Amino acid sequence: MTANNPTTSQDLKQLTKQRDFFKGILIAACILWPFVIAAAIYFYYKKGNIALFIPACTIFIGFLPIYLRFKALSSEIKAKKLS
């Protein structure tokens, strides 16, 4: 019966759109993070500058809330599809 409800369908589409947006952000972060680590290692050995390790570590911690929101959206979408 709930499949005929247009608000549920529209809500499911919006949740899927948000999940895909967060997934894109996480993929981009996972692609860029190794480059930041490589740059930090390069500048540490060439210049003796350890300052780039701070952003390299905080990027990982900064994207943790996005990952948690992505997981919550995924589980919510699965729950709505089952009902």
Side-chain angles (χ1 to χ4, degrees), residues 13-27:
K13 287 180 184 179
Q14 187 169 359
L15 288 174
T16 305
K17 188 176 178 180
Q18 285 179 353
R19 182 195 63 187
D20 293 342
F21 176 72
F22 287 130
K23 185 177 180 180
I25 289 173
L26 289 172
I27 289 171

Side-chain angles (χ1 to χ4, degrees), residues 29-48:
C30 289
I31 291 172
L32 291 177
W33 192 55
F35 292 111
V36 172
I37 294 291
I41 292 170
Y42 172 77
F43 283 113
Y44 176 70
Y45 283 117
K46 291 292 183 179
K47 307 285 185 185

Side-chain angles (χ1 to χ4, degrees), residues 1-21:
M1 280 190 204
T2 59
N4 294 335
N5 191 353
T7 58
T8 304
S9 175
Q10 189 174 14
D11 187 37
L12 186 62
K13 287 180 184 179
Q14 187 169 359
L15 288 174
T16 305
K17 188 176 178 180
Q18 285 179 353
R19 182 195 63 187
D20 293 342
F21 176 72

